[in-house]
Amino acid sequence: MSRQALHVRVYQTDGRMIVAAPMPGLEPDDISVHIGPRRVVIRGRERGPHQHRLRLLRADWTVGPYYGEVELPEAVDGALTNVTYGNGVLVIVMPKTKEDTRGRVAEIRPVKVGPGRGEWVGHAGRVVRPVSNAEHLRKHGMDELPSAHAT
């Protein structure tokens, strides 16, 4: 099966760039996000490969694979990016970098925090302050989960 293009929404605030993309039917482990200084690449692998053995009568949507690239108008910091996935929608919140600095690159996989929900925490609060998934989970009284990869 060929991958399908993602439909995205891109928002901007004074200090952040935000990308939202519907990715129905996936689990957080199926999703990866690559953040470069001015580009976001989103991948979602196909779930339920056995579905192709069934006689399909109608297909208005599929369960991956998904792929999308988004060019950003301003540089962002991938290392401080927050990623959440819930209700079939991926939301990526990236702090903008100062004009004279180059944003850091990150490869992020949301960490499962509940059925069908995942997150990756890079910053906290209105003022961007570095924080890790482990710190965020401890603050909310949850056990530590395996971390994703940021470079």
Side-chain angles (χ1 to χ4, degrees), residues 66-123:
Y66 299 102
Y67 181 83
E69 292 185 31
V70 179
E71 293 291 328
L72 302 172
E74 294 186 47
V76 297
D77 190 339
L80 293 178
T81 293
N82 287 351
V83 175
T84 58
Y85 178 73
N87 295 325
V89 178
L90 180 74
V91 178
I92 307 163
V93 180
M94 302 158 283
K96 294 178 185 177
T97 60
K98 294 182 174 70
E99 288 186 35
D100 60 342
T101 61
R102 185 164 190 254
R104 292 178 285 179
V105 174
E107 188 72 32
I108 297 171
R109 287 190 172 276
V111 177
K112 191 170 187 172
V113 293
R117 294 199 53 81
E119 69 181 13
W120 173 262
V121 179
H123 73 273

Side-chain angles (χ1 to χ4, degrees), residues 10-23:
V10 180
Y11 303 92
Q12 179 173 216
T13 67
D14 288 341
R16 293 174 175 79
M17 298 295 300
I18 303 163
V19 174
M23 299 176 78

Side-chain angles (χ1 to χ4, degrees), residues 113-134:
V113 293
R117 294 199 53 81
E119 69 181 13
W120 173 262
V121 179
H123 73 273
R126 292 203 177 269
V127 176
V128 176
R129 180 183 64 79
V131 66
S132 69
N133 254 15

Side-chain angles (χ1 to χ4, degrees), residues 23-82:
M23 299 176 78
L26 300 188
E27 289 290 328
D29 297 344
D30 300 322
I31 299 168
S32 69
V33 179
H34 175 83
I35 307 204
R38 287 183 175 258
R39 175 185 220 115
V40 177
V41 178
I42 303 167
R43 289 181 177 88
R45 71 174 178 234
E46 181 181 33
R47 281 191 71 75
H50 301 292
Q51 66 184 314
H52 300 296
R53 294 185 195 159
L54 303 173
R55 185 171 158 226
L56 185 63
L57 300 177
R58 181 174 175 165
D60 292 332
W61 62 279
T62 63
V63 186
Y66 299 102
Y67 181 83
E69 292 185 31
V70 179
E71 293 291 328
L72 302 172
E74 294 186 47
V76 297
D77 190 339
L80 293 178
T81 293
N82 287 351

